[in-house]
Amino acid sequence: MTDLGADPAGAGRGSVTVPLGAELNPGAPGTFVTTFTNNETTDAANVGVRLHGLPEGWKAEVAEKDGNLLGIVKPGDSARTTWLLTPPADAAGHHPGVAGDRHVRP
C-alpha cells in the first residue's frame, strides 16, 4: 500500500477526518467513525484506512471485517469506517490523540 501523497496542484488528494471529543468509557469499546473523502478528479481505487497515534493500552478494531478497505471512492465522494475503540480501564479523563490516514494499492 502506498500513500496518495501530495497533489502537485496543492490540493489534497484525499483526506481522513476523525471525530473530536468522541464519548468513550474506560474499559469498554465505543464506536469511533472515520471518514475518507476523495478530493481528486479521478476514482481513488483500493482505498484502505488505518488509525495510528493511540495511547499505550488503547485498542482499535474495525467494527466489520475489512470495513476499513473501502474499494473505489468516486471523486468528491466520502466513505466511512466504523471502529471499536477501547481505552484501558484506568484511562478516565484521558482523550486519545487519534489520527487516521489513507492508503491505496496500485
Side-chain angles (χ1 to χ4, degrees):
M1 296 180 124
T2 55
D3 194 322
L4 288 169
D7 183 344
R13 293 182 178 206
S15 60
V16 176
T17 56
V18 297
L20 298 175
E23 294 284 330
L24 299 170
N25 295 312
T31 301
F32 188 82
V33 179
T34 56
T35 304
F36 169 83
T37 302
N38 180 4
N39 299 323
E40 284 289 298
T41 57
T42 59
D43 292 353
N46 298 313
V47 176
V49 176
R50 67 179 178 187
L51 294 180
H52 59 86
L54 289 172
E56 187 174 330
W58 289 64
K59 296 178 185 167
E61 299 177 69
V62 180
E64 283 186 34
K65 182 177 176 7
D66 297 330
N68 64 323
L69 303 178
L70 307 176
I72 295 174
V73 180
K74 298 284 186 191
D77 283 355
S78 296
R80 298 171 68 153
T81 301
T82 300
W83 304 86
L84 298 177
L85 189 60
T86 307
D90 62 355
H94 296 266
H95 296 282
V98 178
D101 63 12
R102 74 277 184 230
H103 294 273
V104 292
R105 283 189 295 230

